Structure formats: structure tokens, C-alpha cells
Amino acid sequence: MAQKPSIPKGTRDFSPTEMSRRNYIFDTIKSVFQNFGYLPIETPAMENLSTLMGKYGEEGDRLLFKILNSGDYLKNVTLGEDAAQGLNKITRSIAEKGLRYDLTVPFARYVAQHRNEITFPFKRYQVQPVWRADRPQKGRYREFFQCDVDVIGSNSLLNEVELIRMIDDIFCELKMGVVIKINNRKILSGIAEVIAVPEKLTDITTAIDKIDKIGLDKVYEELRSKGLTDETIQMLEPIINLGGDNQKKLNCLREFIGTTADGSQGITELQTVIDLLNGLDIRSEVEIDQSLARGLNYYTGAIIEVKAKKVGIGSVCGGGRYDNLTGVFGLPDVSGVGVSFGADRIYDVLNELDLFPEQVHKCTKVMLVNFGGKEAAFSLNILQQLQRSGIPAELYPDTVKMKKQMKYADQKAIRFVLLIGDEEMKTGVLTLKDMESGEQHKLEMEQLTGLLK
Amino acid sequence: MAQKPSIPKGTRDFSPTEMSRRNYIFDTIKSVFQNFGYLPIETPAMENLSTLMGKYGEEGDRLLFKILNSGDYLKNVTLGEDAAQGLNKITRSIAEKGLRYDLTVPFARYVAQHRNEITFPFKRYQVQPVWRADRPQKGRYREFFQCDVDVIGSNSLLNEVELIRMIDDIFCELKMGVVIKINNRKILSGIAEVIAVPEKLTDITTAIDKIDKIGLDKVYEELRSKGLTDETIQMLEPIINLGGDNQKKLNCLREFIGTTADGSQGITELQTVIDLLNGLDIRSEVEIDQSLARGLNYYTGAIIEVKAKKVGIGSVCGGGRYDNLTGVFGLPDVSGVGVSFGADRIYDVLNELDLFPEQVHKCTKVMLVNFGGKEAAFSLNILQQLQRSGIPAELYPDTVKMKKQMKYADQKAIRFVLLIGDEEMKTGVLTLKDMESGEQHKLEMEQLTGLLK
């Protein structure tokens, strides 16, 4: 019996139309990266689980796709015994590899592994799929693409400025309005210090991070549930409700946490970035957002997140500075900063706002109608000449009714159709039909190439 | 303790240099595909194991990378009981998904699944990695890229001609000398019929397929071991030792198997393809190879294989016609024909013969030296102007010794260096150093952009 064809939930096929739209996004992003001197790398889809485990928290470990060892994978498992010790013990015995969960950890592994071949500061980009065994839902897939760009081996804040400029260039190029939100992890540390519960920093940032999603009241509720006193929460209020332009926010923050070492450092860093950006032509809105923390705990300096205007879809790009990403792989004290563009969400926004340019779909320029053996053989020569002139062209492969051939051209959005019958073979004057205007032209080969080019 | 960074055996990282060379190959291949009216699709890395299993023979099933189900994957396994029934039973219970093994089966699944959205004949290409749990060795990886191009839904031999023309265009573009070998499965059937043991066809083609690797004697030995009589093997001899040009081979074949239905049909098909090719400009050698069978058993018509000249590396491209690929997915009677380019082997050949063009490495055109805070802020503006003129440029992010900055430019093969110090900031006349010639130029912004463009 025939199988009903299907694919694993949370994964997708991409049709030619979707591909050309996706490639438009990837090409735009890559060309900006290249314009700023970033170079591409690629890492394998599979990494050793020892590389991946423990890097994304407990939930991340659970969401890793694990690959069954080849051959007799049970040979080292004493089933009864190991089963008693729980699933994790068995998993470690039968699966040594996993699919990458993001591009950051493989990149850190890459840098540590290839440190002697790399010129630092290393400016690299990487556009590859990642896999997460998340529950699939609208806009969340189990296979999706990330476009990462990082500089590693430089502490300079010029890198933060550069990342924001690239974000600006990319979304301008895509004609997509965005707000670029920035914060600094040290400001969050300063806040924690001022409210005298530094050990609660993670709880505080995690709660504040949710403000857009769950609202102020629920954030307070969560903070209370994490053991913060009402007094402490009240102290946090001006920070959470900080308003005005970037300079006003910075001044406010300086007043509140300027006396703490971390806070002061964080404000100086943000001020430097804002000042440098003010001297440049940035077309997107750049906004200090003191509630910006992001889930991952490895950021140590700048935190960046980009939100689409007009479409409520979460962030379309995000990242920050991490001071010790490669330490776990034996290369300590290397600072890096980078952001990741979410191609799938960008796709959804461009789609919803109808922002894909029309000419994004690369297609055949002219189709040669197939009138039968002799004509087809003759047409092959014309076809070869057209293609070698750089004109995408095709000869309909089967000798079927004209109507069917025309329908094919129409569905493939091929604008021109070339008719080569007896008369044309005799005279060498070919008949070109413009499917848009309906006009027919009689042309010699040279004229034809000129017109189609 | 720090982990020693490593990747799973048989997988690879790609450095920026390798990436640009690989992209040169992919871009060349894709642009020829597009020039012939083929459109891209992509399918997920993971497929349901029900889609993959049983399509590649027993060995293929074994070489599939299987993905452990998420969550409590053991919940449906009665360990003792199932273990007794063997590994396969357990595997079916704990792994429902696998990594794709090639691009052909996912394509067949795609066509069956999306039949109502597709315009037939469907000309598609697909460039994606595939995974096989093969024993890694020189030139054989567990993750490698295939570049597949197929037409599905057309019986016309014009498609075979088109594939050979694309092969010719691609390898000419890459300046790589190849021999394009062709055969037809029906000729092999005809041979089996003449020697009166049609049920031995698979054994015969499998043995003949190995002639280049193991030599004539071993082929005879294998045929004998498969139960063919000496008399039968003797009958096969003229076929195995067939020589001369394509027409001579066709004539010989006609004499030997022209009376069988399959043989006659196969010869007619090959003759048609050869005749059409003779009327075109094909720059590669096209050679009928009656020993060409290829491992996979699903070919029903044309069989194509491309070998590199000068480098003994096996085939760099191969494929053929299959009459019922989508049948197993519930879409019967759709004929297709296609070939797959092995990007990794092509890379190795180009590398060995030193055929990568020099300009393949896209890189930064000019680096701005960083002389400190004030100069860097000024340089940022110049940088922005250069980049917006389409000139890939970067500002060295850290204020370190000139020597270190120049070394960076040198290692990244950046040809021009721009020096912006006090004097340059005052006058607006910038100093450009050509690292190749050692010359220095004093230029205003407009001149600079003009020169670098």
C-alpha cells in the first residue's frame, strides 16, 4: 500500500516561490555582512553531545535532538540496571551526537578548536539551520534558520556600534521598519546591587524581560513570588517605568545606579555607543530599554534586541556581548559580541506587510514551444544560443497540445514564448510572443537575443 | 575542567577560505540550473523514518542516522521483551525520524505530497547536505552536500539531452575536464535476455559496475560465484569489451541485443540522445559505457555518470531515469530523470588541479586604521560612506599598535589601508596605502570612492 507522504511536525518544505523569497532575505543579510568585512563559516549539523549539553540550561538539554549511535547501540547498556538509573543515563549510553541547537555554541567550539588558524579579531557570519524539539506552534518550528554575525577577540565598543549599523542597513534594505532596543547587562547588575539583593539578579531580569508579554502587574507578582519584598519592588519601579529619550534615560539611570561600580560602567558603555551612533546616519529607531534582559545568562555587556514595527511577532534579531563564551572549550578571556537574525520571523513580517519585491522570483525568460521531433531538434540550437547569452530559457520537453504548453508557461510566469515551426526553420525568422502584452514579433536570432537580454 | 573541542568523526568545519571555494562551486552549479529554467526547493533535514526506510536497501537502512524521540522515548518499550525481538524492533519504538540519506527520496515524497501545487513537468534543483553513517575515510564524509537536478512528469528524451548539456556547461564553467558516460538500463535488460538468465540481471549489472574497480577477471569470478555458467559469461564478453566510438558501439549492441524488445528500445533511446547531442556544441567527451549500471536499482532508462579526467576520484556526478519513483508515495506512473553533483568531490578535484580562480575569495577592500577615540569616531563616518558606496570596508576595532593592525590586514588579504590621523581630520585629505605596490596616495573622499570602486 502506498504511504501517505508527510514530514515530521514542526518542519517544513520550501517551494520554489518560498525559496526565492527566503533567498532574498538571506542574500540581503549576507551582502551587508560582507560589506562590513565579515567572513562565512559553516559547522556540521551534528555536534558531540558533550559540546552541546549543559550550555542551554536544563530545558535546552531536553530540547536537543539526539542521534542514536550507529550499529549495536545497546551493547554498552545493561537495560534493567541502567533503566533504574533513569532515562538520562541510558540516553548518554545510546546517543553521543545531537543536532545543533543554535549557532553560538558551535561557533565557540569552532573558535577554540581552530584558534591557531584564526586571525583575531575574528569577524564571522554563519547562516545555517538549527533544530529544537520544542512544541511546534504558529511561527515556531523545530527546524529553522539563524543568521549569526559575531566579532570575537575585541573589547572595543566600536563592535557594538557596527552591529547596530548592520542591523540598520539590513532592515532598511528590506524596507522593514524596526526598533533597535539596547541595554547593558552591567546596568542590570547595578540595579540588583542598589536594591541590595544581587543574588536575585537572574530572577529580576527574567521577570523584567517579560514586561511586554505579561504586563507590569504580573511582573510584580512574579518578583514577589521569587521572594522580593514589596519595599524592594517599589524601589525597582522607577527603573521599570523609565521614560523619555535615550539621554534622559541615561541621566535617570546615572542618578539611580551611578554610584555602583557595575552600574557606572554600564552607563558609560551605553553612553559611548549612543554618542557614536548619534554621529552617524542611522535610519532605524534606537532605544535604550532597561527592561531588556533576554533569556540567556551568558551576556556580560551590551544586550541588543530588534522588534518589528506594525507586526506583533516578538524579536526578529537579538544578541549581545559575552565575555567568556569559549572558556568552557579551553580558550579563556576572549570577549565577543554578536547578534542573530531570525530569518523565519523576518519572512513572516515581510509576507504580512507585503514587502517582498516583485522581481524576487528569478525565472525563465523565454519558453520555446515544442512542435515535434524535427522542430525540437532545430529549437535545441536556438535554446543553446539563448542560454549561452545568459538568457534563462527552456524548451518544453514534450510534443503536446499548444494549450498545455502555454498553460505551463503561464503558471511558471514565463513572459515570452518562442514559436519555431516549419516557416521559421526555413527563413530563420522566429516568432516571439509577449505573454504580457499579447504582441507578436518576427525576429532574427541577433534581434531576439538583444530584446531578451 | 575545559573540554577539548572536537566534532563527530566524518564531519567537517568549513573555514572562510573553504566557504568561498565551496560557494564558487555551488554558485556555478546553481546559475546553470537557473539558466535552464530549474527552480529551487528545500526539504527538512529530518524525514519520518517511514519515508526513508526500505528505499536504499538493507545497507542504506543501517546507514541512516536515526533521531531519538523526544521526551520519555522508552515509554512504549517493554525492554526485556522487545530486546529479545532484536534491535530493529526497539529502534522502531524509540526513533521515528531520521536524517535524509539523499535528496532523491525526499524529492519523491515532496512531489507526491505537493502534487496539487506543482506545475508538471516539474524542473527542480536542490542543494542541501545529506547524512550517512558510513565508515569515514579519505573523500568520504558522514555529512556531505548533494546538488540534485531533476525533471519529473515528462518522458521526453530531450530531458536526457538537457541534463548532459547542463553537465557540460557546469564543468566547462569550472574548467574541469570530464568524461560523461551514458548507458541505458534497457540495454542491460536486453543483455540479460539474450544470455537467457533475466533473473540474474541485478547480479550481472552489479558485477559489471565494478569493472573499473576490480578488473575483468574479478568480474568474471563474481559472475561465476553468482551461479552464471562459463558459457553465459563467455557470451557476455563482447559486451564487456565493447570498443570504438559511440556509433560503433551502438551498431555492435544492435547486432547483439537488437532483437530483444528491451534491448531494441534502449538502443533507440541512446541513439536519439546521441544524435541530438551531435547536433549541438558539447565540449566534454560523451561516451557510451555499456558497463555503466550504478548501484541503485531504481533506474529504468538512461544512466549517466561523470568522471573527472586527470584525477582518480570516482564519479563527480551521476543519475538516470526512474519510471516510478513517486509510486511508493501514492503517485504512480510519473517518470523522472535527474542527476546529482557531488560538491565535495568536485572541490577535491579543483583543489588538486589548482583550478579555483584567485578572485573567488570575497574580502574587505579597505581597512581603516584605528588611531584612537577621536580618530575612530571620525573614521566611522568615512567607513559608512565607503560601505554605502558598495565598497566592503572595515575599521580596526581596537586602538592597538599599527604593526598589529597591519598584520591583521595582511592576513585577511585586504589590499588597501586608510590612515586617518590628526592631519587627515583637519584637511579632509586621506592617506591610502596600497599594500600590494607599497604606494601611498593622498585623496579626497570622492577620489577615494572612485579609486576603490
Side-chain angles (χ1 to χ4, degrees):
Chain A
M1 205 191 70
Q3 299 174 7
K4 192 172 149 39
S6 69
I7 49 176
K9 62 177 176 179
T11 68
R12 294 161 292 168
D13 285 324
F14 297 113
S15 71
T17 309
E18 288 162 333
M19 282 297 293
S20 48
R21 292 176 164 205
R22 290 172 66 81
N23 284 338
Y24 163 68
I25 296 172
F26 291 134
D27 291 347
T28 303
I29 291 176
K30 286 179 190 171
S31 87
V32 170
F33 291 166
Q34 283 166 15
N35 196 31
F36 281 73
Y38 288 76
L39 299 173
I41 69 160
E42 278 184 13
T43 60
M46 301 181 219
E47 293 274 352
N48 293 320
L49 277 177
S50 56
T51 299
L52 301 176
M53 296 287 278
K55 309 299 190 298
Y56 307 105
E58 222 170 277
E59 204 201 351
D61 282 355
R62 221 169 23 80
L63 298 184
L64 286 169
F65 279 110
K66 297 166 191 84
I67 294 162
L68 211 49
N69 293 342
S70 309
D72 182 7
Y73 56 85
L74 283 178
K75 69 173 180 289
N76 297 321
V77 183
T78 326
L79 281 174
E81 209 174 296
D82 290 353
Q85 291 188 47
L87 212 53
N88 287 346
K89 173 71 164 59
I90 293 184
T91 306
R92 269 195 301 278
S93 304
I94 66 175
E96 280 161 12
K97 296 177 289 293
L99 294 178
R100 68 174 160 252
Y101 181 87
D102 72 359
L103 302 177
T104 308
V105 169
F107 175 53
R109 193 267 311 145
Y110 178 97
V111 170
Q113 189 174 334
H114 301 278
R115 66 187 85 173
N116 298 324
E117 308 141 38
I118 292 173
T119 306
F120 293 98
F122 184 40
K123 299 169 75 165
R124 88 85 174 77
Y125 70 86
Q126 193 170 352
V127 176
Q128 290 191 281
V130 302
W131 295 270
R132 296 182 187 179
D134 236 326
R135 188 183 301 275
Q137 57 185 57
K138 193 182 174 304
R140 194 202 281 162
Y141 305 102
R142 291 186 148 191
E143 173 180 67
F144 58 99
F145 272 75
Q146 291 192 332
C147 312
D148 275 29
V149 62
D150 291 79
V151 196
I152 195 157
S154 164
N155 293 306
S156 168
L157 292 168
L158 287 172
N159 299 305
E160 274 82 344
V161 172
E162 177 154 286
L163 289 172
I164 291 167
R165 288 184 51 225
M166 285 198 289
I167 292 169
D168 181 49
D169 277 9
I170 285 168
F171 288 109
C172 274
E173 194 73 43
L174 295 172
K175 301 193 177 24
M176 180 175 150
V178 296
V179 183
I180 305 170
K181 301 190 168 198
I182 53 171
N183 197 11
N184 192 300
R185 185 56 188 244
K186 289 167 191 147
I187 287 179
L188 296 170
S189 306
I191 294 172
E193 195 180 332
V194 162
I195 57 167
V197 280
E199 75 280 5
K200 296 280 185 200
L201 180 58
T202 305
D203 289 338
I204 294 172
T205 55
T206 308
I208 296 185
D209 193 24
K210 295 180 186 161
I211 193 163
D212 283 352
K213 277 190 207 147
I214 64 176
L216 199 57
D217 287 347
K218 293 260 181 196
V219 169
Y220 288 157
E221 207 173 285
E222 180 165 331
L223 289 172
R224 238 173 265 127
S225 79
K226 293 292 179 185
L228 272 80
T229 63
D230 281 349
E231 200 191 341
T232 311
I233 292 170
Q234 214 172 347
M235 279 182 71
L236 275 173
E237 213 174 320
I239 286 298
I240 299 175
N241 285 317
L242 204 67
D245 66 14
N246 289 333
Q247 196 51 55
K248 193 170 162 221
K249 283 179 185 172
L250 280 168
N251 297 343
C252 260
L253 284 169
R254 194 167 283 120
E255 220 168 279
F256 190 63
I257 55 164
T259 51
T260 67
D262 274 350
S264 162
Q265 178 67 21
I267 291 164
T268 305
E269 287 182 17
L270 254 188
Q271 184 77 62
T272 305
V273 170
I274 291 289
D275 287 348
L276 286 168
L277 288 172
N278 283 340
L280 292 165
D281 174 32
I282 306 295
R283 295 143 303 179
S284 310
E285 212 174 297
V286 177
E287 182 189 299
I288 292 176
D289 181 350
Q290 71 294 346
S291 80
L292 184 62
R294 294 182 64 80
L296 289 170
N297 265 321
Y298 56 64
Y299 294 126
T300 51
I303 304 172
I304 300 170
E305 191 164 88
V306 184
K307 302 228 171 205
K309 287 179 170 177
K310 297 187 199 164
V311 179
I313 199 170
S315 78
V316 289
C317 173
R321 180 172 286 277
Y322 40 84
D323 273 343
N324 198 18
L325 191 70
T326 55
V328 67
F329 298 113
L331 182 64
D333 302 324
V334 181
S335 185
V337 60
V339 293
S340 180
F341 291 79
D344 296 279
R345 284 199 180 159
I346 295 173
Y347 184 98
D348 289 345
V349 173
L350 295 184
N351 217 16
E352 193 169 329
L353 301 178
D354 201 14
L355 289 174
F356 284 108
E358 249 184 60
Q359 72 280 14
V360 107
H361 197 62
K362 274 176 213 138
C363 70
T364 304
K365 198 79 176 268
V366 58
M367 185 192 82
L368 283 64
V369 175
N370 187 329
F371 284 109
K374 199 160 44 83
E375 291 85 349
F378 184 91
S379 298
L380 271 182
N381 262 293
I382 308 289
L383 182 68
Q384 187 170 55
Q385 287 177 60
L386 288 169
Q387 290 167 333
R388 293 222 176 141
S389 311
I391 299 160
E394 50 187 297
L395 167 64
Y396 193 89
D398 302 286
T399 311
V400 294
K401 282 197 184 123
M402 181 82 165
K403 199 179 157 190
K404 193 172 177 191
Q405 299 190 39
M406 295 309 253
K407 194 179 163 198
Y408 172 88
D410 185 53
Q411 288 185 332
K412 257 187 119 170
I414 301 173
R415 177 156 170 200
F416 295 99
V417 162
L418 195 61
L419 304 152
I420 304 175
D422 257 356
E423 185 63 24
E424 284 83 3
M425 283 169 68
K426 226 180 290 163
T427 60
V429 180
L430 311 173
T431 307
L432 183 76
K433 183 171 175 155
D434 183 339
M435 304 282 278
E436 243 171 51
S437 66
E439 277 170 25
Q440 292 211 154
H441 306 272
K442 297 267 180 197
L443 302 163
E444 294 194 7
M445 194 58 208
E446 210 169 307
Q447 297 171 298
L448 179 69
T449 327
L451 191 144
L452 292 176
K453 245 187 149 167
Chain B
M1 206 192 68
Q3 300 174 5
K4 191 171 152 39
S6 69
I7 49 177
K9 62 177 176 178
T11 69
R12 292 162 293 168
D13 287 323
F14 296 113
S15 71
T17 308
E18 288 161 334
M19 282 297 292
S20 47
R21 292 177 163 206
R22 289 171 66 81
N23 284 337
Y24 163 69
I25 295 172
F26 291 135
D27 292 347
T28 303
I29 290 175
K30 286 179 190 170
S31 87
V32 170
F33 290 166
Q34 283 166 15
N35 197 32
F36 280 73
Y38 289 76
L39 299 172
I41 68 160
E42 278 184 13
T43 61
M46 301 181 219
E47 293 275 351
N48 292 320
L49 278 177
S50 57
T51 299
L52 302 176
M53 296 286 279
K55 309 299 189 299
Y56 308 105
E58 223 171 275
E59 202 201 352
D61 282 355
R62 224 171 19 81
L63 298 184
L64 286 169
F65 278 111
K66 297 167 190 82
I67 294 162
L68 212 49
N69 292 344
S70 309
D72 182 7
Y73 55 86
L74 283 177
K75 69 174 181 291
N76 297 321
V77 183
T78 326
L79 282 175
E81 208 173 298
D82 289 353
Q85 290 187 49
L87 213 53
N88 287 346
K89 174 71 163 60
I90 294 184
T91 306
R92 270 195 300 278
S93 304
I94 66 176
E96 280 162 10
K97 295 179 288 293
L99 295 178
R100 68 174 160 254
Y101 180 88
D102 71 359
L103 301 177
T104 308
V105 169
F107 174 54
R109 193 266 310 145
Y110 178 97
V111 170
Q113 189 173 334
H114 302 278
R115 65 187 87 175
N116 297 324
E117 309 141 38
I118 292 173
T119 306
F120 292 97
F122 184 40
K123 299 169 74 166
R124 87 85 174 78
Y125 71 86
Q126 192 170 352
V127 177
Q128 291 193 278
V130 301
W131 296 270
R132 296 182 187 179
D134 236 325
R135 189 184 301 275
Q137 58 185 58
K138 193 179 175 303
R140 194 204 281 161
Y141 307 102
R142 292 186 148 190
E143 173 180 66
F144 58 99
F145 273 75
Q146 290 191 335
C147 311
D148 275 29
V149 63
D150 292 79
V151 197
I152 194 157
S154 164
N155 293 305
S156 168
L157 292 169
L158 287 172
N159 299 304
E160 275 82 344
V161 172
E162 177 154 286
L163 290 172
I164 292 166
R165 288 185 51 225
M166 286 199 287
I167 293 168
D168 180 51
D169 276 9
I170 285 167
F171 288 108
C172 273
E173 193 74 42
L174 295 172
K175 300 192 179 19
M176 183 175 148
V178 296
V179 183
I180 305 170
K181 299 188 170 199
I182 54 173
N183 197 11
N184 193 300
R185 185 56 188 245
K186 290 167 191 145
I187 287 178
L188 297 170
S189 307
I191 294 171
E193 197 180 330
V194 162
I195 57 169
V197 279
E199 76 281 5
K200 296 282 184 198
L201 179 59
T202 305
D203 290 337
I204 293 172
T205 56
T206 308
I208 296 185
D209 193 24
K210 295 180 186 160
I211 192 163
D212 282 352
K213 279 190 204 146
I214 62 175
L216 200 58
D217 288 348
K218 294 258 179 196
V219 169
Y220 288 158
E221 206 173 284
E222 181 166 330
L223 289 173
R224 238 173 266 126
S225 80
K226 294 290 180 187
L228 272 80
T229 62
D230 281 349
E231 198 191 340
T232 310
I233 293 170
Q234 212 172 347
M235 280 183 71
L236 275 173
E237 213 176 319
I239 287 298
I240 299 176
N241 286 315
L242 203 66
D245 66 14
N246 289 331
Q247 197 52 56
K248 194 172 160 219
K249 284 180 184 171
L250 281 168
N251 297 344
C252 258
L253 284 168
R254 194 167 283 121
E255 220 167 282
F256 189 64
I257 56 165
T259 51
T260 68
D262 275 350
S264 162
Q265 178 68 21
I267 291 165
T268 305
E269 287 182 17
L270 254 187
Q271 183 78 60
T272 305
V273 170
I274 291 287
D275 286 348
L276 285 168
L277 288 172
N278 284 340
L280 293 164
D281 174 33
I282 307 294
R283 295 142 304 179
S284 311
E285 212 174 298
V286 177
E287 182 189 299
I288 292 177
D289 182 349
Q290 72 294 347
S291 81
L292 185 62
R294 293 183 64 82
L296 291 170
N297 265 320
Y298 54 67
Y299 295 125
T300 50
I303 304 172
I304 301 171
E305 191 164 86
V306 184
K307 303 230 170 200
K309 288 180 170 177
K310 295 187 201 166
V311 180
I313 200 169
S315 80
V316 289
C317 173
R321 180 173 287 276
Y322 39 84
D323 273 343
N324 198 18
L325 192 68
T326 56
V328 67
F329 299 113
L331 182 63
D333 302 324
V334 181
S335 185
V337 60
V339 293
S340 180
F341 291 80
D344 295 279
R345 285 201 180 157
I346 294 173
Y347 184 99
D348 289 344
V349 173
L350 295 183
N351 217 18
E352 193 169 330
L353 301 179
D354 200 16
L355 289 175
F356 285 109
E358 251 185 56
Q359 73 280 15
V360 107
H361 196 63
K362 275 176 212 139
C363 70
T364 303
K365 197 80 178 265
V366 57
M367 184 192 83
L368 284 65
V369 175
N370 186 329
F371 285 110
K374 199 159 46 80
E375 290 86 349
F378 183 91
S379 298
L380 271 183
N381 263 293
I382 307 291
L383 182 68
Q384 188 169 55
Q385 288 177 59
L386 288 169
Q387 289 166 333
R388 293 219 177 144
S389 311
I391 298 159
E394 50 186 296
L395 167 64
Y396 193 90
D398 302 286
T399 311
V400 294
K401 283 196 184 123
M402 181 83 164
K403 198 179 156 191
K404 194 173 175 189
Q405 298 190 40
M406 297 307 254
K407 194 179 162 197
Y408 172 87
D410 185 52
Q411 287 185 332
K412 254 186 121 170
I414 301 173
R415 174 154 171 202
F416 295 100
V417 161
L418 196 60
L419 305 153
I420 304 175
D422 258 355
E423 185 62 25
E424 283 83 2
M425 283 167 67
K426 226 180 288 162
T427 60
V429 179
L430 311 174
T431 306
L432 182 76
K433 184 169 171 154
D434 184 338
M435 304 283 277
E436 242 172 52
S437 65
E439 278 170 25
Q440 293 210 154
H441 306 273
K442 297 270 180 196
L443 302 163
E444 293 193 9
M445 194 58 206
E446 210 169 306
Q447 296 171 298
L448 180 69
T449 327
L451 190 143
L452 292 176
K453 245 187 151 167

